[in-house]
Amino acid sequence: MEMDHAAAEKARWRFSDGGVTDLLQARSLHGTADINKRVQFHSSLVQRLALEKEMEGHLGCVNAIAWNSKGSLLLSGSDDTRIGIWSYANRELLHDIDTGHSANIFCTKFVPETSDEVIVSGAGDAEVRVFNLSRLSGKRPVEISMEPSAVYQCHSRRIKKLAVEIGNPNIVWSASEDGTLRQHDFRECSSCPRARSTNQECRNVLLDLRWGAKKSLADIPRQPLALKSCDISTVRPHQLLVGGSDAFARLYDRRMLPPLSTCQTKKEPPPCIKMFCPMHLADTRKSNLHLTHVAFSPNGKEVLLSYSGEHVYLFDVDLENTSSVRYTADNVQEQLCLPPFNKEPAKLISKQQKFPVNRASRNVCRVDTFKKLMQVATKSLEMGTNLMLGVEACSTILLAVDHNIDDNMKHDCLCTRAGLYLKRRWKNDVYMAIRDCNSARCIDSRSFQAHLYMAEALLQLGRLKEASEYVDALNTIVPPYSQSVKQVENIKEQLFAAELEKNKKDQVGNTYTDARHGRLRSLSDLLFRSDASGSSSQEGREDSDYDDEMELDFETSASAESTQNGDSAYQPEVAVDMKQRYVAHCNVGTDIKQASFLGEQGEFIASGSDDGRWFIWEKRTGRLIKMLAGDGAVVNCIQSHPYDCAVATSGIDNTIKLWTPDANATSMIAGPEIDVSSVIENNQRKLSRNREILLLREKEGNAWKVTSSKR
């Protein structure tokens, strides 16, 4: 029996945080502390977020916003090189500070334990400036022009992020595109010589990663890691997270780092305690793949990474009690793609050998909901429509809090979601399909659907040899049904056509190679080399920082070809794989785009986007629950209030938007009504756009260059 749309929506939008009225009743009985955290960004409130106030005061793009610890003040930094201090109570500008920076401000912070009197800023002029508002006597005017209490000029490139430690009023950390993270102690000095000056001996380098970047997990670090973001855990402040111009976020224990040093000599990077990267991105070797934002969860147990030209990903920090996967460069391919059953020793457990679940103990109502959700997903797959809805229906079942499904349903759900991913074909959906096929085969090693979808996934990736092995396996397990036989015949035809096309390309490629034998690689060869999968398309991004990154690369291009002392002793690193992915936004145009945990519980994830919107997902399931129109061009910054259900956002516009729940805002969309699927499809096309086309458009002077050239 078909499920009507209203019933589908009801099943789809059921959340694990229960009813808000139950929480409010519990608060009156059991106290407020934990209940208040759970109520703050309750699903019923998140779904009703709407624009409350657009706060004016800046004259340029607002690149940074930050709340104070009480939530009474909001700090902002802008292209106009001014800092704004805003009242949360009145929603108005209190102070407008002329900082003296000579370039765009990218980051601002309140310094803890200073009664919100000390603020700090970092900018494109490579300077960190500290302001002590307590030095102002009498009534403070709105417009303030004052000398900074400290100016640190020791960075040589733009400063993209600042970090502070709760309870520490004396130190601020700055992450720069020069590849260093520096520790500025206000007690030691209030100024330092400009970078590259003859007398510069600033001993404040905590992390020297000028020799820290790598294009794949297997590589020895040989390139500068231009830092884009950093964060310090509020729960374990000795933990420091950094991200920059490669695909890997690195977690350090500050207690284990070498003493502070100068930057006079370039050093090997210190070992990190954990490295985070989605497994399918660990060996791409794309020079343009990099992080724009890294963040700890409020409880410090998870980290969130946002990639340029990619999606937002969630990882576990504490791996002991989780199912998160660790991997090395040696086993990426084998973990991404299990061999077909006829090539694999009998390690996998067949579902026929599983003990049956005691159905009497299961929640009948919950199982009925799951069956209805499976109907939604199956219909989406068969019709080829509402694919996102189908994926989310499967995710709701697979990530149910009570795990009230048996192996048969789990297997069918995994296979259905794999088919939906392959049909949807958003960026890297194919790798998500492979993961589901592998999981399904851990339940049934001879699963026909898992083998079929794995063959199709490998075919999409251009891995024809492995796809052929799966097709061979399908011949021995295909059920005697006309539909299944037809599916196998279709995949055989596709494989045959792909092999013919590959042979043609190989012949053309050999001719081309012969013609250019002996010629040195040009700059375009370096920029537009095909990706490791053999695909003819190159996934790229519009990135105003491109020129800076290429300059960094060429500073060490010669040394990257040489062999360092100790290379033979290099130990391959271990990385942590993702546990959830968040898809809908587009992050290619700016390098300061944030992804944030919302609220003290951090149960929802938010990210800005190049289409002028910002998106909210349920953290656990990855379901998109809200799409909000937040800027005329690009939303970059998202910061939730420490205690209230309120979110501040900013971007290319010179205003700051404040979002709070509105009883009338019941739609998934906040802003002009528009088809959600078409918006997301357009964003996915931008993510997968060819890098060469983007650079050609840049030369033609497209409008995006104007808005992002300073980002």
Side-chain angles (χ1 to χ4, degrees):
M1 182 175 64
E2 286 194 2
M3 184 182 185
D4 61 38
H5 183 73
E9 285 297 302
K10 184 177 180 181
R12 180 188 182 204
W13 296 121
R14 182 172 294 172
F15 291 91
S16 60
D17 53 6
V20 69
T21 54
D22 295 335
L23 287 175
L24 294 175
Q25 290 174 0
R27 183 170 64 179
S28 63
L29 295 173
H30 307 296
T32 62
D34 181 60
I35 302 296
N36 282 347
K37 291 181 181 180
R38 293 168 62 188
V39 170
Q40 181 193 6
F41 276 89
H42 189 273
S43 58
S44 62
L45 301 178
V46 173
Q47 292 178 88
R48 288 171 172 78
L49 283 174
L51 180 62
E52 179 196 316
K53 177 79 172 180
E54 189 167 355
M55 301 186 293
E56 300 179 354
H58 281 294
L59 300 176
C61 308
V62 182
N63 305 319
I65 50 178
W67 295 98
N68 67 343
S69 59
K70 298 176 182 177
S72 58
L73 299 173
L74 181 69
L75 194 64
S76 61
S78 168
D79 281 3
D80 61 15
T81 70
R82 304 181 78 87
I83 288 177
I85 301 178
W86 309 78
S87 167
Y88 175 60
N90 300 322
R91 272 64 165 171
E92 64 182 22
L93 182 64
L94 295 178
H95 303 297
D96 178 18
I97 302 173
D98 182 2
T99 64
H101 280 295
S102 59
N104 315 28
I105 295 175
F106 287 118
C107 41
T108 56
K109 287 284 186 183
F110 285 101
V111 177
E113 305 300 326
T114 62
S115 300
D116 303 322
E117 297 283 309
V118 180
I119 57 177
V120 60
S121 59
D125 57 10
E127 293 184 357
V128 175
R129 291 186 165 230
V130 184
F131 298 89
N132 192 333
L133 302 182
S134 65
R135 295 184 177 183
L136 294 174
S137 58
K139 184 179 179 181
R140 298 175 187 172
V142 173
E143 293 190 11
I144 298 175
S145 180
M146 62 181 299
E147 289 296 314
S149 58
V151 179
Y152 302 104
Q153 301 174 298
C154 40
H155 282 295
S156 60
R157 290 183 181 271
R158 299 185 299 184
I159 296 167
K160 280 298 185 69
K161 205 70 176 179
L162 296 169
V164 293
E165 176 187 356
I166 289 179
N168 188 340
N170 302 310
I171 298 175
V172 64
W173 290 265
S174 57
S176 168
E177 291 175 331
D178 64 13
T180 66
L181 187 136
R182 294 176 181 261
Q183 178 173 300
H184 309 283
D185 193 326
F186 308 150
R187 298 164 298 184
E188 293 183 355
C189 65
S190 60
S191 65
C192 60
R194 186 170 293 278
R196 298 195 178 102
S197 59
T198 55
N199 60 338
Q200 191 199 25
E201 284 291 339
C202 297
R203 190 170 293 276
N204 61 7
V205 177
L206 180 64
L207 277 178
D208 186 347
L209 298 174
R210 291 174 296 166
W211 204 272
K214 49 204 289 181
K215 298 305 179 188
S216 76
L217 186 60
D219 287 350
I220 297 171
R222 285 175 171 164
Q223 303 234 345
L225 182 66
L227 294 177
K228 308 289 185 180
S229 185
C230 66
D231 196 19
I232 289 177
S233 171
T234 57
V235 179
R236 288 168 280 195
H238 57 274
Q239 291 188 346
L240 170 68
L241 184 68
V242 299
S245 55
D246 67 11
F248 307 95
R250 295 155 173 88
L251 178 65
Y252 294 92
D253 187 329
R254 290 195 285 127
R255 302 168 301 182
M256 299 168 62
L257 292 175
L260 297 177
S261 63
T262 68
C263 62
Q264 297 301 317
T265 58
K266 191 178 292 186
K267 301 177 181 179
E268 290 187 7
C272 58
I273 59 173
K274 285 188 179 72
M275 183 177 284
F276 304 98
C277 180
M279 194 185 301
H280 59 276
L281 300 181
D283 195 31
T284 60
R285 296 187 178 275
K286 293 187 176 72
S287 60
N288 56 330
L289 180 65
H290 72 272
L291 290 155
T292 65
H293 191 73
V294 299
F296 281 102
S297 63
N299 64 9
K301 294 182 179 180
E302 297 166 320
V303 296
L304 194 65
L305 310 185
S306 181
Y307 284 88
S308 177
E310 252 291 335
H311 306 297
V312 174
Y313 293 92
L314 182 72
F315 301 78
D316 279 317
V317 174
D318 301 323
L319 304 178
E320 287 72 19
N321 299 316
T322 70
S323 58
S324 293
V325 174
R326 288 188 180 189
Y327 63 94
T328 65
D330 294 335
N331 60 14
V332 166
Q333 292 305 321
E334 66 183 56
Q335 290 209 43
L336 276 178
C337 178
L338 296 172
F341 80 94
N342 56 343
K343 300 276 186 178
E344 172 77 7
K347 297 177 183 176
L348 303 178
I349 302 172
S350 172
K351 72 177 178 183
Q352 289 84 358
Q353 297 172 341
K354 286 273 192 177
F355 293 105
V357 176
N358 182 4
R359 295 179 180 270
S361 64
R362 297 168 63 194
N363 186 316
V364 176
C365 180
R366 188 71 165 158
V367 172
D368 184 59
T369 299
F370 289 161
K371 287 181 178 179
K372 290 179 179 179
L373 286 170
M374 273 301 295
Q375 290 176 15
V376 172
T378 302
K379 184 178 179 181
S380 297
L381 182 59
E382 291 173 351
M383 303 296 292
T385 58
N386 295 321
L387 299 176
M388 187 179 80
L389 178 64
V391 167
E392 291 182 345
C394 291
S395 298
T396 301
I397 298 170
L398 292 168
L399 295 166
V401 175
D402 53 10
H403 300 290
N404 227 349
I405 58 174
D406 60 24
D407 285 337
N408 287 315
M409 180 176 284
K410 184 177 181 181
H411 168 271
D412 295 346
C413 195
L414 286 165
C415 290
T416 300
R417 190 170 67 174
L420 289 161
Y421 281 137
L422 293 172
K423 189 164 286 190
R424 191 173 70 173
R425 297 184 77 141
W426 290 354
K427 186 164 187 179
N428 286 330
D429 270 357
V430 61
Y431 289 107
M432 301 302 109
I434 287 175
R435 289 169 181 268
D436 281 351
C437 289
N438 288 339
S439 297
R441 287 192 54 218
C442 287
I443 300 171
D444 181 0
S445 62
R446 295 173 60 91
S447 167
F448 169 75
Q449 285 297 329
H451 279 75
L452 179 71
Y453 289 139
M454 183 66 88
E456 184 178 339
L458 293 167
L459 194 56
Q460 285 189 19
L461 290 172
R463 293 168 60 175
L464 304 186
K465 181 178 180 295
E466 294 98 323
S468 179
E469 292 178 351
Y470 269 87
V471 169
D472 291 342
L474 283 169
N475 288 327
T476 64
I477 58 175
V478 58
Y481 311 126
S482 58
Q483 181 64 28
S484 300
V485 173
K486 185 178 179 180
Q487 287 177 314
V488 174
E489 291 303 315
N490 286 340
I491 200 73
K492 285 181 180 179
E493 291 174 6
Q494 294 174 41
L495 180 60
F496 180 71
E499 288 174 339
L500 284 179
E501 183 67 21
K502 182 178 182 298
N503 290 336
K504 290 179 183 178
K505 286 183 178 179
D506 287 346
Q507 291 175 1
V508 173
N510 290 336
T511 304
Y512 177 67
T513 301
D514 293 341
R516 56 192 293 275
H517 178 68
R519 183 169 63 84
L520 292 175
R521 290 189 302 169
S522 68
L523 176 60
S524 61
D525 293 332
L526 293 170
L527 293 180
F528 308 132
R529 61 184 181 271
S530 60
D531 55 48
S533 69
S535 170
S536 61
S537 66
Q538 283 125 2
E539 297 152 342
R541 59 181 171 86
E542 298 173 89
D543 183 10
S544 58
D545 288 328
Y546 169 73
D547 292 330
D548 283 346
E549 288 177 22
M550 285 307 298
E551 185 178 343
L552 283 170
D553 284 346
F554 281 113
E555 284 177 357
T556 57
S557 59
S559 59
E561 298 298 326
S562 66
T563 302
Q564 285 181 300
N565 291 333
D567 280 4
S568 58
Y570 176 73
Q571 295 295 317
E573 294 182 276
V574 178
V576 180
D577 193 18
M578 55 161 275
K579 74 171 185 178
Q580 188 55 269
R581 179 181 75 144
Y582 306 98
V583 180
H585 75 305
C586 179
N587 180 8
V588 293
T590 60
D591 250 3
I592 54 175
K593 199 167 284 92
Q594 297 177 356
S596 302
F597 294 93
L598 297 185
E600 290 187 276
Q601 293 283 97
E603 291 303 320
F604 293 92
I605 303 297
S607 173
S609 178
D610 289 345
D611 62 355
R613 298 177 177 86
W614 62 288
F615 298 82
I616 304 176
W617 299 267
E618 185 184 27
K619 183 184 74 174
R620 187 174 53 84
T621 64
R623 294 183 300 175
L624 179 67
I625 65 168
K626 195 78 175 176
M627 183 176 79
L628 307 98
D631 194 274
V634 177
V635 175
N636 282 320
C637 306
I638 298 174
Q639 292 294 311
S640 63
H641 191 274
Y643 305 113
D644 288 351
C645 186
V647 182
T649 66
S650 68
I652 300 300
D653 292 348
N654 56 15
T655 60
I656 299 169
K657 280 85 171 177
L658 186 66
W659 308 80
T660 55
D662 183 336
N664 297 317
T666 56
S667 171
M668 181 183 181
I669 303 166
E673 286 294 327
I674 191 171
D675 179 60
V676 175
S677 297
S678 64
V679 169
I680 300 174
E681 289 280 358
N682 189 46
N683 282 340
Q684 296 306 303
R685 283 192 292 271
K686 290 179 184 177
L687 282 181
S688 299
R689 195 178 288 169
N690 187 296
R691 176 66 182 269
E692 187 169 0
I693 293 174
L694 291 174
L695 291 175
L696 289 173
R697 288 186 177 180
E698 176 183 334
K699 291 177 182 178
E700 293 167 2
N702 269 8
W704 75 264
K705 178 67 175 175
V706 176
T707 60
S708 69
S709 61
K710 298 176 290 183
R711 235 31 64 222

